[in-house]
Amino acid sequence: MKFIDQIGRCVNLNGIPKRIISLVPSQTELLFDLGLESHIVGITKFCVHPIHLKKTKAIVGGTKQINIGKIKSLNPDIILCNKEENTKDIVEACEQICNTHVSDIFNIDDSLELINQYGLLFNKKEEAQIIVKSIQKKAEDFKTFIQKKTTLKAAYFIWKNPWMVAGNNTFINCMLGLNHLINVYDTQNRYPEIELKNTAINKEVDVVLLSSEPFPFKNSHKKEVQAFYPNAHIVLADGEMFSWYGSRLTKAFVYFKKLRLNLEAFQAL
């Protein structure tokens, strides 16, 4: 069976893969929600949902550095990667071991496509469709909720030292747009480094989102950022809701509603 992944690579399968290694946390969670826990043999140290997998599955490294020897010893049928999360070298090394599927996610449609692809790959079509339909329903409900809400200018920080934000051509940027949040850094590509300066555009920013990952922003960072965005509401954002695709999207839109209500309460002050 020939299968085309999300970056156009042909994956040749002799049958349904039974031994799976996932090098992407959000995809590990998706595998579990598809009912494939017993087939997962290896995950990364960042695969924290569900948390018990870190005790029951082999840890093969992170998303940028992997233990090739350990991966080989697990005798996988397929390795699941992502173009953004994993490096080209990692993908090429995995290809030398077994079939390797690479996802590439920029928006909700890409996410739904991936879920359906896993449904086909692992003979979980019905389970995949249940997740897809749940996400579609919740997304439509959220669009109704958000359609008359005020559009706000936003900045989304992912790292400190150096300061880095989410720019254009990212899944995060797509999620900001769904929340009627205009990304003030969307003229820059991917995840640009920026310098915190007191500029005219900073004064126009309504909300600054400090993500919980990959840098674990805390309350202690709010004051530091507030000095450069004097009129903005500084919010600690759940990074998983903005950057994890797959089945995490079944929870994201409830979170987004609560976030909007929080922002409205601040705007009313």
Side-chain angles (χ1 to χ4, degrees):
M1 179 173 65
K2 290 185 177 182
F3 201 89
I4 305 299
D5 70 13
Q6 288 189 302
I7 62 170
R9 297 164 55 263
C10 184
V11 180
N12 293 300
L13 299 172
N14 294 322
I16 299 168
K18 299 296 184 182
R19 297 180 61 80
I20 308 166
I21 289 178
S22 171
L23 300 182
V24 187
S26 57
Q27 293 174 188
T28 300
E29 179 181 47
L30 173 57
L31 293 174
F32 176 83
D33 288 336
L34 286 170
L36 291 162
E37 179 178 4
S38 63
H39 296 293
I40 301 171
V41 296
I43 59 175
T44 76
K45 61 184 178 181
F46 302 116
C47 295
V48 295
H49 294 300
I51 192 63
H52 74 264
L53 292 184
K54 293 187 74 174
K55 295 181 179 180
T56 60
K57 307 300 178 181
I59 305 298
V60 299
T63 54
K64 305 300 182 187
Q65 294 182 323
I66 58 174
N67 186 326
I68 287 293
K70 196 166 189 178
I71 288 176
K72 286 181 179 178
S73 72
L74 292 170
N75 193 30
D77 297 319
I78 194 166
I79 302 170
L80 304 178
C81 297
N82 173 264
K83 185 178 178 180
E84 178 179 299
E85 293 273 0
N86 310 124
T87 66
K88 183 180 179 182
D89 287 344
I90 283 177
V91 172
E92 291 176 348
C94 290
E95 287 177 319
Q96 299 302 310
I97 299 172
C98 66
N99 283 307
T100 301
H101 179 283
V102 183
S103 63
D104 195 17
I105 310 293
F106 291 96
N107 53 47
I108 298 293
D109 286 343
D110 293 336
S111 300
L112 300 182
E113 178 184 64
L114 178 65
I115 296 168
N116 280 323
Q117 282 195 4
Y118 279 11
L120 291 171
L121 270 172
F122 303 114
N123 194 30
K124 293 287 184 177
K125 294 180 185 178
E126 291 184 10
E127 291 86 346
Q129 270 299 295
I130 289 172
I131 295 173
V132 165
K133 288 179 180 178
S134 175
I135 293 170
Q136 289 173 328
K137 183 178 185 301
K138 290 175 181 180
E140 285 302 316
D141 178 62
F142 181 72
K143 287 179 182 178
T144 300
F145 166 84
I146 201 73
Q147 64 182 351
K148 294 183 180 179
K149 302 294 184 182
T150 303
T151 299
L152 304 173
K153 292 184 178 180
Y156 189 102
F157 281 81
I158 65 164
W159 201 258
K160 179 186 177 183
N161 296 328
W163 293 99
M164 295 175 68
V165 295
N168 204 353
N169 294 319
T170 63
F171 185 68
I172 292 171
N173 193 55
C174 170
M175 302 307 275
L176 290 173
L178 290 177
N179 280 273
H180 282 199
L181 299 174
I182 298 174
N183 186 356
V184 295
Y185 294 105
D186 71 352
T187 57
Q188 300 187 54
N189 199 40
R190 305 297 288 163
Y191 302 103
E193 294 182 16
I194 67 165
E195 293 185 16
L196 291 185
K197 296 180 179 179
N198 287 308
T199 65
I201 192 170
N202 283 9
K203 294 179 181 179
E204 298 176 3
V205 174
D206 300 301
V207 56
V208 172
L209 299 165
L210 302 180
S211 182
S212 60
E213 62 168 44
F215 185 89
F217 282 104
K218 307 295 183 185
N219 277 312
S220 58
H221 298 109
K222 285 185 176 182
K223 186 176 180 180
E224 186 176 2
V225 174
Q226 186 78 75
F228 296 92
Y229 299 88
N231 301 316
H233 182 25
I234 314 298
V235 177
L236 294 179
D238 187 333
E240 293 174 0
M241 298 301 180
F242 278 94
S243 63
W244 284 38
Y245 40 88
S247 49
R248 176 60 40 164
L249 286 170
T250 61
K251 302 177 177 69
F253 295 104
V254 172
Y255 172 81
F256 292 151
K257 283 185 180 181
K258 292 179 180 178
L259 174 63
R260 173 55 67 155
L261 294 175
N262 177 289
L263 296 178
E264 287 179 348
F266 177 80
Q267 295 290 318
L269 294 178

